[in-house]
Amino acid sequence: MKKTHFLVSMLALVIFSGCRSNDENDNETPRQQEVHNKTVNVTNHDGRPFSTGNGSGSVAGKFVAGPGGSVLMQGFYWDVPEGGTWWNTVKDKLTAWSDSGIGAVWLPPASKAQNGAYSMGYDPTDYYDFGNFNQNGSIETRFGSRTELEALITKAHTENMQVYADIVINHNSGGQSQANPFTGTNTWTDFSGVASGKFQRSYNDFYKNSYGNNDEGAFGGFPDLCHANPYVQDWLWGRDDSVGKYYKNVMKFDGWRFDYVKGFGPWVVNSWNSNVGGFSVGELWDSNVNTLEWWANNANSSVFDFAAYYKMDEAFDNGNLNALNDDMMWKRNPYKAVTFVANHDTDVIYNKMPAYAYILTHEGYPTIFYRDYEEWLNKERLNNLIWIHNNKATGTTSILYTDNDEYIARRNGYNGNPGLVVYINTSSNWQERWVETNWSSKQIKDFTGGSSWYPTTQGDKWVKIQCPPNSYSIWSLNQ
């Protein structure tokens, strides 16, 4: 689940810092929100922080949702440093991320995998070993100890941030060899010796077995976990000490990123969500928006918007902003769409800043990739976009204009929040356009600082705005 990353260098601009918006979905987990100087527990149905429309970015180092909602940080990349330091690395960044308006962090698979201290976690052996048992050649995982993981989660909650666990339940690795009557050979399916003593498995818990020959898909030659087996269901989400409930109630994770959901039916995630709760998003690596929508509805879960991802690549790397008119998951159901520009598996978009301007001004739940934020792109520009997202990106979306190198869209505002107009220009020249806004006879400004104009909209809400070359501008009321 690895890929090659493209290093991008961008021009630095002096700009503002900030936050953004969203609304609701399905599974609840309490969050802290400041409302009229009182703190109350309020959530969206998807477990993400809800805002009543008066929110600021961050108060005293704690994340507070703005009217636009929250932003997710992918808190790792492929092959993060070995040596058990990663949990502490992430923990030390949480306050700064909270200050910037990031409301949740997605962590890599946290339990012990076959390659022990060298594994990125996608070859799971013992779901209950978080770096506290001596097995697979180490006590700690690649990322650190259980104590360090728990300290990270506690720190995130202190910052009013949620923590999402990467859940790998399609396949397992690291079992011992055993005779398998369903294959007539030996298979590596004996997990009776897992150090935690929990969720011990044998050949009948993997395909092929008494429940059938296969399910929706195996991965990489690993033993394919059989979700049709009631024993497996019970240990994954049913019993009080099931994997899901242990992660939520003991380890205190708030939500789930389900790995390789093409490998099993959406009913599996639906059952997990019904029994365990919390925010969830599935990695359904498919650009077909019909497939994404079908899976999200049947899984009762959000899904990564791969349709938008590949359209952004076409738009920003191949000189065709008209591609942004095409269908995407966030257009079908923004409450179930998690948008992204890069992740640990795939990083094909080269022209990343306009792509981030796109996802942080449009509907959906936007994700920021760790290396983009901490290493490769201009952090001040990203913080400015996060602020705009959290404070201005509200309401439905109307596309106002597109051609090969210009794209203009309007967020129509919600519950008293004015919304915004975003102008993306991939040409080498300044561009200007007349557009229809949400505002009559009001002064507006570009909240990125790229334009020095302070135009006043006409009585019919039309106004001329501009955009720098190879950049973007984002306009809203000057207030």
Side-chain angles (χ1 to χ4, degrees):
M1 303 145 177
K2 177 185 178 185
K3 86 145 308 289
T4 303
H5 302 283
F6 293 86
L7 186 60
V8 182
S9 41
M10 309 296 293
L11 292 174
L13 295 177
V14 177
I15 40 189
F16 297 86
S17 304
C19 278
R20 135 52 203 174
S21 142
N22 250 54
D23 304 328
E24 50 208 84
N25 216 14
D26 0 42
N27 303 304
E28 298 187 1
T29 42
R31 303 293 298 142
Q32 295 294 312
Q33 157 136 15
E34 186 171 288
V35 181
H36 302 302
N37 298 321
K38 288 183 67 177
T39 299
V40 296
N41 288 322
V42 191
T43 66
N44 280 317
H45 295 302
D46 63 359
R48 280 180 286 140
F50 172 82
S51 172
T52 58
N54 67 326
S56 61
S58 179
V59 177
K62 297 183 186 298
F63 171 78
V64 177
S70 179
V71 173
L72 170 62
M73 172 67 74
Q74 179 175 0
F76 66 100
Y77 53 91
W78 196 264
D79 284 349
V80 301
E82 300 167 5
T85 62
W86 192 249
W87 295 145
N88 287 336
T89 296
V90 171
K91 179 171 68 73
D92 290 345
K93 294 183 180 296
L94 291 174
T95 296
W97 291 352
S98 169
D99 288 343
S100 297
I102 294 165
V105 57
W106 154 29
L107 298 181
S111 64
K112 187 70 62 62
Q114 181 176 8
N115 288 320
Y118 302 101
S119 176
M120 283 296 296
Y122 291 97
D123 51 339
T125 299
D126 188 341
Y127 289 102
Y128 297 84
D129 178 0
F130 297 93
N132 50 305
F133 292 104
N134 188 358
Q135 64 181 328
N136 294 356
S138 70
I139 296 177
E140 292 192 350
T141 67
R142 183 189 192 101
F143 314 113
S145 68
R146 174 172 175 153
T147 299
E148 289 164 341
L149 172 60
E150 290 175 319
L152 185 165
I153 295 170
T154 298
K155 174 69 172 177
H157 290 160
T158 300
E159 297 292 341
N160 288 344
M161 298 174 70
Q162 293 191 332
V163 184
Y164 303 155
D166 204 316
I167 298 295
V168 186
I169 55 173
N170 176 72
H171 51 273
N172 289 170
S173 189
Q176 300 301 305
S177 178
Q178 63 180 168
N180 188 329
F182 296 97
T183 65
T185 65
N186 274 35
T187 54
W188 300 95
T189 49
D190 181 3
F191 291 82
S192 61
V194 290
S196 69
K198 293 180 177 291
F199 194 15
Q200 297 174 336
R201 287 145 278 161
S202 68
Y203 59 79
N204 203 43
D205 302 314
F206 300 89
Y207 289 107
K208 58 185 185 178
N209 59 9
S210 62
Y211 296 90
N213 291 334
N214 58 271
D215 60 1
E216 282 76 2
F219 182 84
F222 293 118
D224 187 23
L225 200 58
C226 174
H227 304 93
N229 185 338
Y231 174 84
V232 173
Q233 296 176 24
D234 203 32
W235 269 107
L236 286 180
W237 61 75
R239 52 191 290 157
D240 288 343
D241 61 344
S242 65
V243 174
K245 292 175 183 177
Y246 193 93
Y247 271 58
K248 184 180 181 185
N249 300 326
V250 178
M251 300 304 294
K252 306 299 184 183
F253 281 101
D254 305 290
W256 328 104
R257 178 266 186 189
F258 288 97
D259 180 67
Y260 190 63
V261 298
K262 281 188 173 183
F264 46 89
W267 68 269
V268 172
V269 171
N270 195 324
S271 297
W272 178 296
N273 289 339
S274 297
N275 283 273
V276 180
F279 172 78
S280 78
V281 57
E283 182 216 22
L284 186 71
W285 199 326
D286 199 308
S287 62
N288 187 317
V289 68
N290 294 318
T291 303
L292 296 173
E293 183 180 36
W294 166 84
W295 186 88
N297 289 340
N298 283 278
N300 189 29
S301 172
S302 295
V303 66
F304 283 107
D305 195 346
F306 277 93
Y309 176 70
Y310 287 110
K311 289 303 176 182
M312 286 191 292
D313 181 39
E314 182 180 345
F316 301 123
D317 289 345
N318 296 295
N320 179 24
L321 296 193
N322 288 310
L324 300 178
N325 288 317
D326 292 344
D327 206 359
M328 304 172 191
M329 184 61 194
W330 73 257
K331 297 181 182 182
R332 295 283 185 95
N333 187 343
Y335 308 122
K336 291 187 181 296
V338 177
T339 52
F340 67 103
V341 173
N343 65 30
H344 65 294
D345 278 331
T346 180
D347 194 357
V348 301
I349 298 172
Y350 180 82
N351 194 13
K352 287 184 174 181
M353 283 308 302
Y356 275 112
Y358 181 81
I359 69 168
L360 286 160
T361 55
H362 285 65
E363 293 168 83
Y365 186 13
T367 307
I368 294 180
F369 181 45
Y370 179 94
R371 299 199 85 167
D372 286 342
Y373 187 82
E374 292 292 343
E375 299 177 18
W376 292 346
L377 303 183
N378 184 285
K379 187 181 293 188
E380 245 190 311
R381 293 188 76 188
L382 287 172
N383 282 342
N384 171 246
L385 287 172
I386 295 168
W387 185 92
I388 289 168
H389 169 272
N390 292 357
N391 287 283
K392 302 294 183 182
T394 59
T396 58
T397 303
S398 300
I399 298 176
L400 305 180
Y401 179 84
T402 61
D403 61 25
N404 284 343
D405 52 22
E406 290 178 74
Y407 172 88
I408 306 175
R410 183 180 70 228
R411 292 296 298 275
N412 294 309
Y414 177 74
N415 197 27
N417 184 274
L420 57 79
V421 173
V422 55
Y423 191 164
I424 299 174
N425 171 24
T426 58
S427 78
S428 56
N429 301 304
W430 279 85
Q431 300 290 350
E432 300 174 0
R433 294 281 170 189
W434 281 91
V435 296
E436 186 177 13
T437 72
N438 300 321
W439 320 294
S440 176
S441 304
K442 298 290 186 181
Q443 187 182 72
I444 64 173
K445 71 175 184 179
D446 172 17
F447 277 80
T448 74
S451 171
S452 60
W453 284 10
Y454 286 81
T456 297
T457 62
Q458 298 180 155
D460 60 1
K461 301 183 180 180
W462 283 77
V463 69
K464 182 188 280 190
I465 57 175
Q466 65 173 185
C467 188
N470 297 305
S471 192
Y472 51 85
S473 55
I474 303 171
W475 304 81
S476 189
L477 294 184
N478 184 19
Q479 61 182 35

